[in-house]
Amino acid sequence: MDGIAFIKQIAEGSIGGAYCLCGQEPYVRERAVKKVLSLLNADLKDMNAQVLTNPAASDVINACETLPLFDLRRVVIVRELAADAATALAD
């Protein structure tokens, strides 16, 4: 999926699943993350958004399988994923 389609899905509120945001421009990635986070209920954002830095694959799976609390969505942001964890998640 290209960036334009992704931003369009965010605007429509029809985003779901897992996305890999990559590219040379960190500003664009961070802007997309902020837009996704804006879909969460502001009062419940602390409970439904989680940031993991260099996690094990099992930690990513556990975070993604956790249901949202009093909201329609849960957002899990993974930064600096190691190659072995990425391979395990791809399976």
Side-chain angles (χ1 to χ4, degrees), residues 10 13 15 25 29 36 43 55 58 68-69 73-74 80 84:
I10 295 170
I15 192 167
E25 191 58 50
R29 287 192 314 267
V36 171
D43 295 331
S58 60
L69 191 62
R73 295 178 179 85
R74 176 168 169 73
E80 301 176 23
D84 60 333

Side-chain angles (χ1 to χ4, degrees), residues 52-61 81 85 89:
L52 304 172
T53 303
N54 202 15
S58 60
D59 293 334
V60 175
I61 292 168
L81 188 62
L89 290 171

Side-chain angles (χ1 to χ4, degrees), residues 1-21 28-29 31-36 39:
M1 170 184 303
D2 66 19
I4 294 171
F6 180 68
I7 297 298
K8 184 177 178 183
Q9 280 188 337
I10 295 170
E12 294 170 350
S14 63
I15 192 167
Y19 299 88
C20 177
L21 304 178
V28 175
R29 287 192 314 267
R31 184 81 176 137
V33 168
K34 286 181 182 179
K35 284 186 175 283
V36 171
L39 296 175

Side-chain angles (χ1 to χ4, degrees), residues 22-82:
C22 57
Q24 298 298 320
E25 191 58 50
Y27 173 78
V28 175
R29 287 192 314 267
E30 290 306 313
R31 184 81 176 137
V33 168
K34 286 181 182 179
K35 284 186 175 283
V36 171
L37 289 172
S38 73
L39 296 175
L40 296 175
N41 180 320
D43 295 331
L44 304 170
K45 192 179 290 187
D46 290 341
M47 293 184 277
N48 290 314
Q50 185 173 357
V51 178
L52 304 172
T53 303
N54 202 15
S58 60
D59 293 334
V60 175
I61 292 168
N62 289 335
C64 291
E65 289 181 343
T66 302
L67 295 174
L69 191 62
F70 304 113
D71 204 347
L72 297 175
R73 295 178 179 85
R74 176 168 169 73
V75 176
V76 177
I77 300 166
V78 178
R79 299 183 188 277
E80 301 176 23
L81 188 62

